[in-house]
Structures are given as C-alpha cells and as structure tokens.
Amino acid sequence: FPSHDTWDTNSYIFRNLEIDKTGGKVILSAPTIIANELNFISGNIVTDSINILTMNAGSYVTGASNSGFVEGPVKKVGNTTFEFPIGKDSYYRPFKISAPSNASDAFQVEYFDEGQILGNNIDSTLTYISTCEYWRIKVVNGSLNSILSVFYESGTCSFSGERTAHIARWNGTKRSIVTGK
C-alpha cells in the first residue's frame, strides 16, 4: 500500500492508486477515496461496509479482471457512467450503471457468489431466481434512473434450460423486474 496523498482523521484519499500484489490481497483498514484513477495490475482490494472504497466524481478504473478487483462494497459518487470493479475470490463480476442525473448521486454495489437471502417470492414477470450469485445495489444519495448491466460468466452459475436474464429488485415482499431507463 503506497503512502497516501492526503488523509483526514477518518479516511485515506488517493489521487491515483495502483494495486500490484501478485497472488495477494490489500485489506482496507479505513475508508479509502480515489479521486482520479484506480489501476489493477494484480491482486484484490478487500473492503467492508465500514472500510469502503469510494470512487469520487470523475474517477475511473483500469485493469480490473479476474486477476484484480474489489472484494466487497464499492461506492461511486457522480454523474458519469461507471463500471464497478467487483467480484469474489477469483471471479470478476462487474456491475455497470449509465450516467446518473446529478453530480451528487451516489451508489454502492457489491457482488455475492451465493444465493440471495431476502426471499423467493416473485411476481408474474419472473420465472426463476438465481440460487448461486447476485449483486446488491444501494442508493446512497439521489435516485436510480440509470441503465444497469451485470456481467455474467456461464461457468460459475448455470441456468437450466434457455432463459432470458433480467435484473430484478426486492420490494420487501417479492422480486420484480427492474423497469425504466
């Protein structure tokens, strides 16, 4: 972990951060903010709900792949299209949002390589819920009016039969297809 550019009493702030830890992980012990570029060469960053990685408005990620990504939640602030560099273990599973409306909009996304635990009730627009992986998006500030994309690799979680995949949301009692933009 290189020395940080600036800090306050609660977090590290980097203009640019490069991760090059072959076969290893960088475990955050404080909230960390990237102002410009996060570059993955090798190795994962491990975050949690307290020691979160925040990508500031205008920041971007390069080099994320199965060899380097974030294990845990990532928060993005701003109104630019962004691909969250997330996954678990050796599986890179990015989540992309199109440009939100406002510069103050903020979203937090995390990938889970297990079945979701919120419930299995579904409305008539869905026929199946994945039992082996899911992504969780949390609106931290603003509203979600973006186009959402998940990146799926068939080798880790297979569907039985031919199915069209949709992003669904949990409304507290059942799952339904995300509609809108």
Side-chain angles (χ1 to χ4, degrees), residues 24-82:
K25 297 179 180 186
V26 174
I27 300 170
L28 295 188
S29 60
T32 301
I33 299 166
I34 306 298
N36 188 47
E37 179 185 10
L38 172 59
N39 180 24
F40 287 95
I41 294 173
S42 177
N44 294 349
I45 298 174
V46 179
T47 65
D48 58 43
S49 60
I50 307 253
N51 303 305
I52 193 165
L53 178 70
T54 299
M55 302 295 295
N56 270 355
S59 63
Y60 60 96
V61 177
T62 56
S65 68
N66 283 334
S67 298
F69 54 82
V70 177
E71 290 188 52
V74 174
K75 179 177 155 185
K76 172 64 170 117
V77 178
N79 60 346
T80 57
T81 296
F82 186 74

Side-chain angles (χ1 to χ4, degrees), residues 8 28 36 39 89 95 104 106 125 137 142 156 159:
D8 60 29
L28 295 188
N36 188 47
N39 180 24
D89 299 319
F95 186 98
S104 61
T125 62
I137 183 167
T156 59
F159 293 115

Side-chain angles (χ1 to χ4, degrees), residues 79-98:
N79 60 346
T80 57
T81 296
F82 186 74
E83 189 171 299
F84 290 81
I86 55 177
K88 285 284 191 274
D89 299 319
S90 61
Y91 299 115
Y92 175 53
R93 296 294 181 266
F95 186 98
K96 186 176 181 179
I97 62 170
S98 66

Side-chain angles (χ1 to χ4, degrees), residues 101-132:
S101 299
N102 300 303
S104 61
D105 286 351
F107 306 96
Q108 180 178 308
V109 179
E110 184 172 2
Y111 169 77
F112 296 88
D113 61 347
E114 60 193 29
Q116 58 81 30
I117 58 171
L118 294 174
N120 293 320
N121 293 335
I122 58 177
D123 71 12
S124 62
T125 62
L126 295 170
T127 57
Y128 173 80
I129 297 174
S130 173
T131 58
C132 58

